[in-house]
Amino acid sequence: HAAKIVCAGNHDRPLDPSLDRDWRRHRATLSAVATYLDPSQPCATVFGLRVAASPVSRSRSASKNRAFQHIDSPTAAALGGSCDLLVTHAPPKGVLDGGAGLDEVRALALALQPRLHCFGHVHHTPGIFRHADLGRTIYCNAASCNWFWCAVRRPVVCALPLTALETRILHAGAYRREN
């Protein structure tokens, strides 16, 4: 793929500064091959598309996978007020969430109104959803794992229509990360 965008989640202990003292090294390794968006740098421009991300997740179980569960989702203002693509680990409340979505992620998506909101965390409800009551956003639960964290599903593919400018940028191969 010409670009890879990565957002951590509750299984990504090595990337969470509160859980792993080598987190800087792990993040540097990942950032060498992908655009890694974390709470300190949650936005980037990739092929002309403004991307925002949040690794926030919550667990109601006794799971030991606790990375990024102590942080809050960023506000729309902290993310610049808009984006084309929103990537979160947790799903928004009531959208392909199996009852485990977060109100704060739903509020963020409604405020930002991205063209596409991709998330995972809830393994048993993959798919694509759009509803007029939720604005223009296409929602995609791209979870590929089963209950045992084994990748058993094919990737969920969302075709996001590009504007003429975005198409020209894509074909020109322009790629940059915001600071």
Side-chain angles (χ1 to χ4, degrees):
H1 300 284
K4 298 169 198 70
I5 301 166
V6 178
C7 175
N10 63 307
H11 292 267
D12 298 311
R13 182 182 190 93
L15 300 171
D16 189 329
S18 69
L19 299 175
D20 193 307
R21 65 182 152 204
D22 287 333
W23 65 272
R24 283 184 183 89
R25 182 174 54 86
H26 299 304
R27 287 184 182 189
T29 300
L30 180 58
S31 294
V33 296
T35 299
Y36 173 59
L37 300 176
D38 68 22
S40 68
Q41 263 190 315
C43 298
T45 299
V46 179
F47 290 124
L49 297 174
R50 182 153 168 75
V51 183
S54 173
V56 68
S57 65
R58 305 280 185 264
S59 178
R60 298 177 297 186
S61 69
S63 171
K64 293 180 182 169
N65 301 309
R66 297 284 182 198
F68 300 102
Q69 295 199 11
H70 60 283
I71 65 171
D72 292 323
S73 186
T75 64
L79 297 177
S82 68
C83 65
D84 296 299
L85 171 62
L86 176 62
V87 180
T88 61
H89 183 70
K93 178 87 172 176
V95 180
L96 300 170
D97 70 341
L102 300 181
D103 288 323
E104 63 192 286
V105 174
R106 182 183 178 104
L108 180 64
L110 288 173
L112 291 173
Q113 286 293 303
R115 290 162 45 192
L116 178 63
H117 178 190
C118 292
F119 50 89
H121 190 56
V122 180
H123 301 208
H124 61 283
T125 57
I128 298 171
F129 178 82
R130 185 172 191 185
H131 195 283
D133 290 348
L134 298 173
R136 71 177 187 157
T137 303
I138 297 168
Y139 293 87
C140 174
N141 181 338
S144 60
C145 293
N146 62 15
W147 287 99
F148 304 103
W149 307 288
C150 297
V152 296
R153 293 186 198 95
R154 292 178 181 255
V156 177
V157 177
C158 294
L160 185 62
L162 299 177
T163 66
L165 174 61
E166 291 163 346
T167 302
R168 284 196 304 274
I169 291 169
L170 178 63
H171 290 298
Y175 172 78
R176 71 178 178 84
R177 181 183 170 120
E178 290 179 353
N179 294 326

